[in-house]
């Protein structure tokens, strides 16, 4: 079992550009959540996808959008990048529509640097 | 708005010593999680606490939850260098484990 995988590992972009990050959940998991972790801070919830729809959203602007595919994998898109978007982006997956309190697995993350 | 605070933010301790990290949160919840993060790495789940009075132990780490006080503790016994990492608590108030509010983190450094 490969666990949660994310790509790419690292990414460098310039201000104003757009970026797409990808996540494949752990086998058997159907819910994907995305978090942003700025340097020296705790992760902050961006949004969650279940059944190909955004189910919950944190306090992030509309520049942050996502998608979930029928195979449960997910993408995070960020438009009009700002310097402040530089962070580690973590994907987490869970089973049963996210109702299993014991199981949430985090991926290795994508390190985004905006210059 | 839910706030989750940890203290201390930074902890330097000698090997063999004991210490406690505290996690306070501002809204009623009976589900709390502890994670470990090594530099540049992702989050590793340590403990899941699902009810008032829950206590879990793994090796030199022990976590407890007091939902009435809105407080969780992570106790370190006889620290060893391998425990050096950043520790986060996270609270779930939405009924699903997949939306967590994280604390500020405690960076633990264990010295010889």
């Amino acid at each position: 079992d490969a666990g949660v995988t994310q790509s790419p590992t690292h990414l460098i972009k310039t201000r104003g550009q757009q970026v797409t990050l990808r996540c494949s959940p752990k086998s058997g998991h159907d819910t994907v959540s995305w978090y942003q972790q700025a340097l020296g801070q705790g992760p902050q919830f961006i949004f969650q996808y279940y059944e190909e729809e955004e189910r919950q959203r944190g306090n992030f602007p509309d520049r942050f959008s996502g998608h979930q595919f029928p195979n449960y994998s997910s993408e995070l898109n960020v438009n009009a990048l700002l310097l402040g978007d530089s962070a580690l982006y973590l994907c987490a997956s869970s089973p049963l529509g996210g109702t299993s309190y014991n199981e949430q697995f985090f991926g290795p993350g994508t390190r985004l640097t905006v210059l | 708005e839910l706030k989750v605070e940890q203290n201390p933010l930074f902890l330097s301790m000698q090997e063999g010593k004991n210490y406690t990290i505290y996690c306070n949160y501002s809204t009623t919840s009976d589900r709390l999680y502890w994670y470990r993060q090594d530099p540049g790495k992702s989050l590793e789940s340590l403990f899941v606490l699902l009810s008032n009075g829950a206590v879990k132990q793994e090796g030199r780490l022990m976590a407890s939850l007091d939902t009435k006080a809105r407080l969780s503790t992570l106790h370190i016994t006889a620290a060893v260098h391998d425990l050096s990492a950043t520790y986060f608590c996270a609270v779930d108030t939405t009924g699903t484990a997949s939306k967590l509010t994280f604390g500020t983190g405690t960076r633990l450094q264990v010295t010889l």
Side-chain angles (χ1 to χ4, degrees):
Chain A
D1 184 0
V4 181
T5 60
Q6 292 185 244
S7 63
T9 305
H10 295 89
L11 204 51
I12 299 175
K13 292 285 189 178
T14 56
R15 281 178 297 175
Q17 284 189 310
Q18 177 264 343
V19 69
T20 297
L21 311 181
R22 296 176 176 82
C23 170
S24 291
K26 183 178 168 63
S27 177
H29 287 191
D30 57 10
T31 304
V32 173
S33 300
W34 287 91
Y35 291 81
Q36 179 196 66
Q37 185 178 21
L39 195 62
Q41 313 233 346
Q44 286 194 294
F45 177 79
I46 302 175
F47 43 52
Q48 177 190 103
Y49 276 84
Y50 172 64
E51 292 188 336
E52 301 179 47
E53 290 191 356
E54 182 182 295
R55 185 166 67 174
Q56 300 186 78
R57 189 177 183 94
N59 190 25
F60 279 79
D62 291 344
R63 297 188 298 109
F64 290 77
S65 63
H67 189 77
Q68 186 179 35
F69 299 94
N71 66 353
Y72 307 120
S73 66
S74 177
E75 288 182 350
L76 163 65
N77 301 294
V78 187
N79 294 323
L81 284 167
L82 303 173
L83 295 179
D85 295 333
S86 295
L88 179 67
Y89 288 84
L90 296 166
C91 167
S93 75
S94 50
L96 306 175
T99 60
S100 174
Y101 304 133
N102 283 304
E103 294 195 60
Q104 179 169 216
F105 293 84
F106 281 84
T110 293
R111 171 74 62 187
L112 172 65
T113 301
V114 182
L115 301 176
Chain B
E1 180 188 343
L2 171 62
K3 292 193 184 302
V4 182
E5 295 182 343
Q6 290 180 234
N7 69 82
L9 297 182
F10 177 74
L11 176 58
S12 180
M13 55 190 300
Q14 288 183 318
E15 278 200 335
K17 299 293 186 181
N18 305 331
Y19 209 82
T20 300
I21 299 171
Y22 297 88
C23 173
N24 291 90
Y25 53 97
S26 61
T27 308
T28 301
S29 173
D30 57 3
R31 290 182 288 278
L32 191 136
Y33 305 77
W34 283 96
Y35 289 89
R36 168 183 171 145
Q37 188 175 41
D38 292 296
K41 304 292 186 180
S42 188
L43 298 170
E44 174 191 352
S45 178
L46 294 175
F47 299 108
V48 179
L49 304 169
L50 298 178
S51 61
N52 185 40
V55 177
K56 291 198 174 179
Q57 182 164 6
E58 180 72 33
R60 301 174 188 274
L61 301 177
M62 183 174 71
S64 65
L65 177 62
D66 181 344
T67 59
K68 294 179 181 177
R70 299 178 186 171
L71 171 69
S72 180
T73 62
L74 180 66
H75 187 72
I76 303 153
T77 301
V80 292
H81 181 69
D82 285 352
L83 290 179
S84 297
T86 298
Y87 293 84
F88 291 97
C89 63
V91 176
D92 160 39
T93 60
T94 64
T96 72
S98 47
K99 181 185 176 183
L100 299 177
T101 301
F102 282 81
T104 46
T106 296
R107 185 176 156 216
L108 173 65
Q109 184 176 62
V110 181
T111 59
L112 297 174

